[in-house]
Amino acid sequence: RGPYMDEVFHVPQAQAYCHSLFLQWDPMITTLPGLYLLSVGVVKPAAWLLGWTGSVVCSVGMLRFINLLFSAGNFYLLYLLLFKIHQKNKAVSGFQRILSTLTLAMFPTLYFFTFLYYTDPGSVFFTLFSYLMCLYGNHKTSALLGFCGFMFRQTNIVWTVFCAGNVVAEKLNEAWKIELQKKKDEKISSRKGSFSDLTRILQFLVEYLTSPKNLVTLSALTWPYIILVSLFFVFVFINGGIVVGDKSSHEACLHFPQLFYFLSFTVFFSFPHLLTPTKIRKFLLSLRKHPVQYSLIAVISLFLIWKFTYVHKYLLADNRHYTFYVWRKVFQRHELVKYLLVPFYIFAGWSFADTLKSKSIFWILMYFVCLLAVTVPQKLLEFRYFILPFLIYRLNIPFLSLYRQLLELAFYVLVNAVTFYLFLNRTFKWENSDEVQRFMW
């Protein structure tokens, strides 16, 4: 019933704001005060209208209720986004859309934090809302909502860049199609290409983005996002970094294996999409066709793991998180394990990219850049950091058959049931503390 884990910092901070102590700040908090400001903005008027007084106004339960509201909003936003992104696909029924929305709303890593006072549900809400407004062409509203998302978590600025990137990718795709018509080259596709096509596309990209006329056009379309990103850089300069509060525990680094962890995480939670016999057969065929390219990717992956693997002190010290057990049971079994996983990472990356082939090459490049920006600088392996890149990915891939959709939903329900059972019933204590400890994401 009392604050647990990071709530120990979030709840007292929100309660201080409830008592109008806006200059009081816990130096251990690393995010901006968006969650606390919005909580007070909702709870105080509700308390006044309903006649609540005393400790109930900003109690732990009342603050957690804010995240229930966000989760209801996330459900609706996921439905609207699925409808907007896949509106041209007439084969998808309304029932399938609702089923897919329900599945994403129950995505275990996000669903778990619906019932705690964490920044995740609010961060997801404003980012998804910003993305929806971007898709409808309301870029000023999108940038404003992006600012709200930034106030919940600073790394959400990457998804503001993603929204601007959507606009840029659309323009690039139009120009690329015109380029193809000029050259009448049927071998190159604007949808997907081989490794040799990629160099042609990159050449076109450089030519397009170095044209002053094109840059002016793109700036005119994306100026609300440009203003927000400029404000972000001003904030980083004044603050001396992206993190507020405890900077020492959240230093940025080039942690490239985070991308491999994200791909593994995505395969686990999207196995009906990514881990199918058809996918495996297609991957083996691709492997046979392009052995040199895959060998090069394997060598680069091994080098990145060798030189850029970091282990955060929290990962090794805190046995309440599942990442602690993943690291201990898998990666710490033997020094070679992290290298032996490279073939799986390559398959995961190929399967991940294969499900996005319905998107334009420019959208894929833009998403991949944002994915790198949001995962690689993080030293700590934390599944919560993967929530938004995962949801953006899942929203943009084709719908599965009804059977596979039901399988995915059943899997999420099972994972949620297990994680809640462990959290509530498998408690334990540390030797140096009388507090009850619980397992969680």
Side-chain angles (χ1 to χ4, degrees):
R1 289 179 182 277
Y4 184 69
M5 280 292 286
D6 288 5
E7 284 188 323
V8 172
F9 309 114
H10 294 311
V11 169
Q13 187 60 56
Q15 289 173 342
Y17 278 28
C18 265
H19 294 110
S20 303
L21 302 171
F22 294 105
L23 297 178
Q24 186 175 312
W25 185 258
D26 187 335
M28 291 302 290
I29 293 170
T30 58
T31 52
L32 290 166
L35 177 62
Y36 322 122
L37 290 167
L38 191 134
S39 299
V40 173
V42 172
V43 170
K44 281 281 194 177
W48 180 75
L49 284 169
L50 299 168
W52 294 333
T53 54
S55 60
V56 72
V57 175
C58 278
S59 62
V60 178
M62 190 57 65
L63 291 171
R64 285 174 181 163
F65 180 71
I66 299 295
N67 277 350
L68 279 175
L69 294 176
F70 277 133
S71 294
N74 285 335
F75 181 89
Y76 189 48
L77 285 170
L78 287 164
Y79 177 79
L80 293 174
L81 280 162
L82 282 168
F83 187 83
K84 178 64 178 170
I85 293 166
H86 302 279
Q87 62 185 347
K88 290 178 183 174
N89 188 354
K90 303 299 180 189
V92 178
S93 67
F95 176 71
Q96 277 182 293
R97 282 200 180 92
I98 291 168
L99 193 63
S100 199
T101 305
L102 184 62
T103 304
L104 290 178
M106 294 196 73
F107 172 52
T109 319
L110 174 62
Y111 186 72
F112 185 87
F113 292 101
T114 296
F115 305 98
L116 293 173
Y117 190 60
Y118 271 58
T119 57
D120 300 272
S123 165
V124 169
F125 175 82
F126 284 111
T127 304
L128 292 181
F129 204 169
S130 174
Y131 183 30
L132 182 69
M133 290 297 101
C134 168
L135 293 178
Y136 275 102
N138 299 333
H139 300 300
K140 283 180 272 191
T141 308
S142 176
L144 187 62
L145 290 162
F147 173 75
C148 295
F150 167 72
M151 288 295 288
F152 272 68
R153 187 168 291 167
Q154 292 91 303
T155 51
N156 286 343
I157 197 69
V158 172
W159 302 112
T160 296
V161 174
F162 172 79
C163 288
N166 263 278
V167 181
V168 174
E170 206 174 299
K171 286 288 166 191
L172 283 166
N173 208 36
E174 287 170 13
W176 179 241
K177 283 176 181 173
I178 293 165
E179 187 77 8
L180 291 182
Q181 282 171 359
K182 279 182 191 172
K183 293 182 179 178
K184 294 181 180 176
D185 188 349
E186 295 296 323
K187 290 177 185 176
I188 303 171
S189 166
S190 66
R191 290 285 173 193
K192 52 184 176 176
S194 67
F195 289 96
S196 57
D197 293 339
L198 199 58
T199 54
R200 295 279 297 276
I201 291 163
L202 289 172
Q203 189 182 343
F204 161 77
L205 203 57
V206 171
E207 285 173 10
Y208 186 91
L209 295 176
T210 51
S211 159
K213 184 188 171 187
N214 292 336
L215 286 175
V216 168
T217 304
L218 292 175
S219 299
L221 288 168
T222 60
W223 66 265
Y225 305 112
I226 292 169
I227 290 170
L228 183 53
V229 172
S230 302
L231 288 172
F232 165 75
F233 283 117
V234 170
F235 159 77
V236 170
F237 178 75
I238 293 168
N239 186 52
I242 193 170
V243 175
V244 296
D246 185 19
K247 292 185 176 71
S248 61
S249 298
H250 296 83
E251 291 173 348
C253 62
L254 288 174
H255 192 182
F256 288 105
Q258 283 277 29
L259 181 62
F260 304 142
Y261 307 147
F262 171 75
L263 291 170
S264 307
F265 173 88
T266 305
V267 167
F268 180 78
F269 282 112
S270 290
F271 75 91
H273 299 262
L274 300 174
L275 203 59
T276 63
T278 310
K279 279 262 190 281
I280 294 165
R281 277 197 300 274
K282 277 178 73 179
F283 173 69
L284 293 172
L285 276 170
S286 180
L287 204 61
R288 203 180 300 165
K289 272 186 184 178
H290 309 285
V292 177
Q293 287 94 328
Y294 283 106
S295 299
L296 185 62
I297 290 167
V299 169
I300 293 167
S301 301
L302 289 165
F303 174 76
L304 292 175
I305 291 166
W306 174 46
K307 282 291 183 187
F308 296 97
T309 295
Y310 296 94
V311 186
H312 199 285
K313 60 184 179 182
Y314 289 175
L315 181 62
L316 299 174
D318 199 334
N319 67 343
R320 294 170 294 183
H321 291 293
Y322 295 139
T323 45
F324 172 89
Y325 298 96
V326 169
W327 195 260
R328 196 178 73 175
K329 300 284 185 186
V330 179
F331 293 94
Q332 284 190 320
R333 279 197 174 273
H334 196 278
E335 184 62 27
L336 290 174
V337 169
K338 59 186 179 185
Y339 301 109
L340 293 173
L341 287 169
V342 164
F344 172 73
Y345 295 151
I346 292 171
F347 166 74
W350 175 88
S351 188
F352 183 85
D354 188 60
T355 51
L356 286 170
K357 65 186 178 185
S358 61
K359 309 298 287 185
S360 77
I361 188 68
F362 305 108
W363 189 97
I364 294 167
L365 284 171
M366 178 264 304
Y367 171 77
F368 186 69
V369 167
C370 291
L371 175 60
L372 286 174
V374 87
T375 55
V376 168
Q378 306 278 4
K379 189 176 182 180
L380 178 63
L381 172 57
E382 168 72 88
F383 291 144
R384 289 190 300 134
Y385 299 159
F386 297 157
I387 292 171
L388 274 166
F390 176 86
L391 287 177
I392 300 287
Y393 159 75
R394 272 290 282 105
L395 284 165
N396 282 282
I397 62 175
F399 278 80
L400 289 169
S401 65
L402 189 59
Y403 161 72
R404 288 189 183 278
Q405 276 189 274
L406 289 167
L407 176 65
E408 190 179 27
L409 178 59
F411 177 61
Y412 283 12
V413 170
L414 177 65
V415 171
N416 283 330
V418 170
T419 50
F420 277 105
Y421 172 78
L422 291 172
F423 182 80
L424 295 169
N425 299 301
R426 294 291 183 181
T427 57
F428 61 100
K429 287 189 177 180
W430 287 340
E431 285 181 16
N432 59 347
S433 173
D434 290 329
E435 280 185 59
V436 174
Q437 308 299 340
R438 302 172 186 274
F439 298 110
M440 64 188 289
W441 288 106

